[in-house]
């Protein structure tokens, strides 16, 4: 099976799995009070629609009625390296947010993010990070009074 | 209506409100000029910064951004053939050849004037019809409103990407996400998985910021992030009266397309731009299109700004957004404690007409700023976008936190950011999912209310004329979709070739 088709099929099965989770999770909510519809109906209708459409797509893939080009699912390092590193930095920012002072954390985050995104040489990186951090400090702490 | 509109105008012209509108116009132009940043992203990221404001001043910034992005997208489309926003994609076809011929300044002048023309005409139409639609909208039943919501969602899902099925799946997932939390009628917890933070539902603004801002940035950084490159020599000039007379018809065509298509959910500014361009190309057969025809800049630019008047009409009167930007603005209005919809013009007339008045004034402020700051905006095209993307991430993360001062919201931003990245990668429509999240409560509550009123009789959706019309139209669209799929398959079989089917994700605009 071609890579792209495998990816597409996997996603569809994952969506069917997600729909199943919705059905299981809403199982205790299927009883309706008099004159009302059950709280489970709406999310189950939506989940059912997702599952049905996913199965349609799997059928189309198997029968060859739908093709996905390989270029759509490039997972090489050149395609996902920057997003992956960026996601790691974002998660690190979130985890450290309550423990590290805002200015230090934001400056470090921006230096590393700019480096991942290719800002060179190092002094341009530092300068951009310093200016941006200063801007955010003034904006969030002094202008908007967000308790960061 | 006139008194209320005048009051709205006076409110907009208050020094602080006018300043905020101008700031919004500037930010919108800036976002529009820079490829990779979009109007829904800018609005979503900046909403948290307006938390401490009253609704009307807060809306000034958002409306300014909304109008500014539609105008700013032409700069990079003309100068470097990379539209700043999808709405300006059609402008690049004639605008860039004009720049290569040395007429970049004239092309920019035409784009700015045409944008203002289209925006103002559609604004007048919106003002004329808003009150009338608002008066009739109060008679709409719960069944009608539920079906209108489903119709809007289906249209967006079907039209916002090349893969209709994935668009519909994205919309359905958005509906599931919207049902997380305590059920409004019974009070039971749904899909909270035992987490108390989810009892109030997923913070939808954090979800929107994650999808539009973080997800888009994560996807875009995999591609080019350097500056856009060299620009042609720029001698900015406004079109002469003679040229304005020549392009007037094209601007009218663009305005008509934009206003009408803006009303239809899911048909955004880029579609209006392309359709108006295609129309004038068909009609002006003696012109050499593709080599820098001024009409080819005027029509799409008038169209993409005319969409704004059309799109806000259903948003204000029915609570149904016309495009991705108005979808995010609808979320903002709800956060400010307002409820656009059938009762908006009667319950909150000062806000409704203030919104309309600001929309008109924003076209003027955007025109002035665009004319005054042509050269700085052109210089901004040389900025390294990596710096902007990093800054957008900080804005998004802290913006998500600012909603409730809880890091849980930041986690939601990150979670939906990763989801948004995967959706971009695999061709699922982000606008469809966002609209599902925003419209889900409206659709569900009216759906259930309709069934309660009819004591469980589902034929209520068939007996109400508007509801029936929505069902019939959706049915016809579905049948047409199946027929086209069947024809395409038969054609491919006859050619002995299988159907190519990649995805071309349309960036929200």
């Amino acid at each position: 099976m071609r890579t792209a088709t495998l990816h597409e099929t996997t996603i569809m099965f994952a969506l069917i799995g997600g729909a199943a989770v919705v059905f299981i999770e809403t199982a205790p909510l299927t009883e309706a009070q008099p004159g009302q519809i059950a709280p489970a109906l709406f999310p189950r209708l939506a989940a059912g629609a997702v599952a049905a459409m996913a199965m349609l797509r799997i059928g189309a893939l198997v029968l060859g009625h739908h093709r996905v080009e390989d270029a759509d699912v490039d997972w090489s390092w050149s395609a996902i390296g920057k997003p992956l590193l960026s996601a790691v930095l974002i998660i690190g920012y979130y985890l450290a947010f309550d423990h590290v002072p805002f200015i230090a954390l934001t400056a470090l985050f921006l230096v590393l993010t700019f480096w991942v995104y290719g800002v060179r040489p190092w002094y341009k990186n530092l300068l951009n990070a310093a200016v941006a951090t200063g801007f955010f400090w003034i904006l969030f702490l002094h202008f908007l009074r967000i308790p960061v | 209506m006139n008194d209320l509109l005048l009051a709205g105008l006076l409110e907009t012209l208050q020094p602080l409100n006018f300043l905020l509108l101008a700031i919004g116009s500037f930010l919108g132009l800036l976002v529009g000029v820079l490829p990779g940043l979009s109007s829904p992203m800018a609005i979503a990221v900046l909403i948290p910064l307006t938390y401490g404001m009253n609704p009307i001043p807060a809306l000034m910034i958002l409306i300014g951004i909304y109008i500014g992005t539609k105008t700013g997208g032409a700069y990079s489309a003309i100068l470097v053939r990379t539209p700043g926003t999808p709405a300006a994609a059609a402008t690049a076809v004639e605008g860039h050849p004009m720049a290569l011929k040395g007429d970049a300044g004239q092309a920019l002048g035409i784009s700015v004037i045409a944008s203002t023309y289209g925006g103002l005409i559609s604004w007048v139409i919106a003002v004329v019809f808003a009150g009338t639609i608002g008066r009739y909208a109060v008679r709409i039943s719960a069944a009608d409103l539920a079906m209108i919501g489903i119709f809007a969602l289906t249209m967006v899902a079907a039209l916002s990407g090349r893969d209709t099925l994935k668009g519909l799946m994205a919309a359905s997932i958005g509906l599931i996400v919207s049902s997380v939390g305590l059920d409004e009628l019974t009070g039971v917890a749904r899909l909270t998985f035992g987490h108390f933070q989810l009892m109030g539902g997923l913070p939808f603004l954090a979800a929107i910021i994650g999808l539009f801002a973080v997800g888009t940035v994560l996807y875009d950084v995999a591609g080019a992030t350097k500056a856009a490159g060299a620009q042609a020599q720029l001698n900015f000039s406004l079109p002469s009266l003679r040229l304005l007379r020549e392009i007037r018809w094209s601007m009218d065509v663009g305005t008509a397309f934009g206003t009408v298509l803006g009303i239809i959910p899911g048909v955004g500014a880029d579609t209006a731009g392309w359709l108006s361009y295609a129309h004038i190309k068909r009609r002006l057969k003696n012109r050499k299109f593709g080599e820098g025809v001024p009409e080819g800049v005027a029509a799409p630019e008038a169209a993409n700004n005319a969409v704004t008047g059309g799109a806000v009409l259903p948003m204000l009167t029915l609570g149904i957004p016309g495009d991705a930007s108005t979808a995010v603005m609808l979320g903002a209005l709800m956060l400010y404690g307002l409820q656009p919809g059938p009762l908006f013009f009667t319950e909150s007339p000062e806000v409704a007409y203030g919104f309309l008045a600001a929309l008109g004034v924003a076209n003027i402020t955007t025109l002035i700023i665009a004319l005054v700051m042509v050269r700085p905006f052109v210089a901004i095209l040389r900025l390294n976008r990596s710096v902007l993307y990093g800054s957008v991430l900080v804005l998004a993360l802290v913006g998500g936190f600012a909603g409730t001062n809880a890091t849980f919201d930041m986690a939601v931003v990150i979670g939906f950011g990763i989801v948004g990245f995967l959706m971009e990668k695999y061709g699922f429509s982000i606008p469809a999912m966002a609209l599902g999240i925003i419209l889900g409560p409206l659709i569900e509550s009216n759906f259930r209310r309709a069934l309660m009123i009819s004591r469980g009789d589902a034929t209520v959706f068939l007996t109400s004329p508007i509801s029936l019309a929505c069902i019939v139209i959706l049915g016809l669209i579905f049948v047409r979709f199946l027929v086209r799929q069947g024809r395409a398959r038969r054609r491919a079989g006859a050619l002995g070739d299988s159907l190519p089917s990649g995805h071309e994700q349309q960036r929200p605009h």
Side-chain angles (χ1 to χ4, degrees):
Chain A
M1 188 183 266
R2 291 165 56 237
T3 308
T5 308
L6 183 62
H7 277 254
E8 186 89 345
T9 315
T10 306
I11 290 164
M12 294 303 139
F13 275 115
L15 287 173
I16 293 171
V21 167
V22 172
F23 269 83
I24 293 167
E25 188 66 18
T26 55
L29 308 175
T30 52
E31 286 211 19
Q33 294 185 11
Q36 294 184 19
I37 63 172
L41 178 67
F42 192 73
R44 281 187 162 193
L45 274 176
V50 171
M53 286 186 276
M55 282 190 271
L56 264 176
R57 178 51 55 87
I58 291 171
L61 287 167
V62 166
L63 293 172
H65 293 156
H66 181 85
R67 278 174 61 117
V68 183
E69 298 303 323
D70 283 321
D72 295 335
V73 287
D74 183 5
W75 282 91
S76 63
W77 180 253
S78 61
I80 66 156
K82 283 182 185 172
L84 187 61
L85 289 173
S86 201
V88 167
L89 287 171
I90 291 169
I91 292 170
Y93 188 90
Y94 157 70
L95 292 173
F97 192 76
D98 280 338
H99 309 291
V100 179
F102 174 75
I103 293 175
L105 179 64
T106 303
L108 182 63
F109 172 79
L110 287 172
V111 165
L112 292 173
T113 301
F114 292 161
W115 180 81
V116 167
Y117 292 173
V119 178
R120 306 283 192 276
W122 63 269
Y123 56 85
K124 268 193 182 174
N125 188 329
L126 286 178
L127 183 62
N128 283 317
V131 169
T133 303
F135 170 76
F136 288 130
W137 177 67
I138 294 170
L139 177 68
F140 293 135
L141 276 143
H142 291 277
F143 187 59
L144 298 170
R145 301 189 190 281
I146 297 172
V148 290
Chain B
M1 192 260 289
N2 289 337
D3 291 341
L4 289 165
L5 187 65
L6 185 61
L9 205 57
L10 290 172
E11 182 74 33
T12 303
L13 295 174
Q14 295 285 324
L16 176 64
N17 290 340
F18 188 77
L19 177 64
L20 291 171
L21 190 66
I23 290 171
S25 297
F26 171 77
L27 290 173
L29 280 163
L30 187 63
V31 167
V33 164
L34 292 162
L37 303 182
S38 66
S39 172
M41 177 202 282
I43 295 172
V45 159
L46 289 172
I47 287 172
L49 306 188
T50 64
Y51 279 149
M53 298 182 187
N54 287 328
I56 291 178
L59 283 172
M60 295 293 148
I61 298 181
L62 304 184
I63 292 167
I65 291 171
Y66 182 42
I67 302 294
T69 51
K70 298 287 190 276
T71 305
Y75 281 68
S76 52
I78 289 166
L79 295 172
V80 293
R81 211 190 165 89
T82 305
T85 60
T91 307
V93 178
E94 300 299 330
H96 190 60
M98 282 186 74
L100 293 176
K101 286 195 298 190
D103 292 332
Q106 188 177 75
L108 283 175
I110 291 172
S111 75
V112 169
I113 296 298
S115 295
T116 308
Y117 183 89
L120 281 175
I121 301 286
S122 78
W123 172 73
V124 169
I125 293 170
V127 165
V128 166
F129 285 101
T132 309
I133 295 174
R135 276 195 295 280
Y136 282 103
V138 294
R139 301 181 200 174
I140 290 178
S141 66
D144 292 335
L145 216 43
M147 284 315 304
I148 290 172
I150 292 172
F151 174 78
L153 197 54
T154 308
M155 291 293 287
V156 171
L159 297 174
S160 62
R162 271 185 67 178
D163 195 327
T164 302
L165 204 62
K166 283 184 175 175
L168 291 169
M169 280 194 265
S172 303
I173 294 169
L175 291 175
I176 296 171
V177 168
S178 77
S179 64
V180 171
L182 293 179
D183 176 43
E184 64 165 4
L185 285 179
T186 60
V188 298
R190 295 188 300 188
L191 301 174
T192 59
F193 301 94
H195 292 285
F196 73 92
Q197 297 105 323
L198 293 177
M199 290 291 184
L202 268 168
F204 77 87
L205 181 64
I208 301 297
I209 291 174
L211 287 172
F212 281 115
V214 178
T216 307
V217 167
L218 289 179
Y219 186 72
D220 281 352
V221 294
T225 51
K226 288 200 183 310
Q231 295 100 44
Q233 185 73 15
L234 186 69
N235 289 312
F236 179 79
S237 62
L238 288 174
S240 63
L241 281 174
R242 191 173 77 89
L243 181 58
L244 273 177
R245 276 196 292 271
E246 287 173 14
I247 64 174
R248 165 80 188 275
W249 175 78
S250 305
M251 291 197 294
D252 288 338
V253 166
T255 302
F257 270 96
T259 307
V260 171
L261 293 175
I263 295 172
I264 304 172
V267 182
D270 56 338
T271 306
W274 283 116
L275 286 177
S276 64
Y277 176 74
H279 183 80
I280 62 155
K281 195 175 169 187
R282 268 199 306 274
R283 295 292 296 270
L284 299 175
K285 289 188 174 20
N286 59 332
R287 306 299 297 276
K288 290 184 183 168
F289 282 90
E291 295 180 13
V293 173
E295 287 86 343
V297 172
E301 280 301 305
N304 68 34
N305 273 63
V307 160
T308 58
V312 299
L313 257 181
M315 186 194 82
L316 294 177
T317 57
L318 299 173
I320 307 286
D323 60 10
S325 301
T326 45
V328 181
M329 270 202 281
L330 180 65
L333 283 163
M334 287 156 61
L335 275 172
Y336 301 147
L338 303 163
Q339 188 57 57
L343 299 176
F344 193 47
F345 278 82
T346 47
E347 287 184 350
S348 309
E350 67 288 347
V351 181
Y353 283 101
F355 189 106
L356 281 176
L359 197 70
V361 177
N363 280 286
I364 307 295
T365 54
T366 301
L367 170 70
I368 295 169
I369 295 172
L371 292 176
V372 165
M373 298 200 62
V374 168
R375 292 186 191 283
F377 281 135
V378 169
I380 280 167
L381 275 172
R382 298 193 191 100
L383 271 182
N384 190 328
R385 271 182 278 150
S386 302
V387 174
L388 286 166
Y389 283 149
S391 304
V392 166
L393 289 177
V394 173
L395 269 173
L397 291 170
V398 179
F401 166 79
T404 55
N405 294 336
T407 47
F408 174 73
D409 287 22
M410 196 185 283
V412 171
V413 170
I414 296 170
F416 276 87
I418 294 171
V419 166
F421 167 73
L422 292 171
M423 289 177 73
E424 288 267 22
K425 196 127 181 83
Y426 286 106
F428 287 84
S429 168
I430 289 180
M433 182 169 174
L435 205 59
I437 294 172
I438 291 171
L439 286 184
L442 175 138
I443 293 172
E444 183 183 9
S445 63
N446 283 287
F447 185 78
R448 291 167 83 172
R449 200 169 297 136
L451 287 175
M452 277 165 58
I453 292 168
S454 67
R455 297 177 196 279
D457 182 9
T459 59
V460 68
F461 295 104
L462 298 174
T463 52
S464 181
I466 295 175
S467 173
L468 180 62
C470 289
I471 292 172
V472 167
I473 294 172
L474 284 175
L476 289 172
I477 292 172
F478 179 63
V479 166
R480 184 166 174 265
F481 169 74
L482 288 177
V483 166
R484 286 178 75 180
Q485 289 282 89
R487 276 191 198 147
R489 229 174 276 140
R490 276 195 295 277
R491 255 202 315 271
L495 289 170
D497 190 11
S498 38
L499 290 169
S501 175
H503 75 262
E504 189 181 289
Q505 186 74 345
Q506 282 190 8
R507 183 54 47 77
H509 44 83

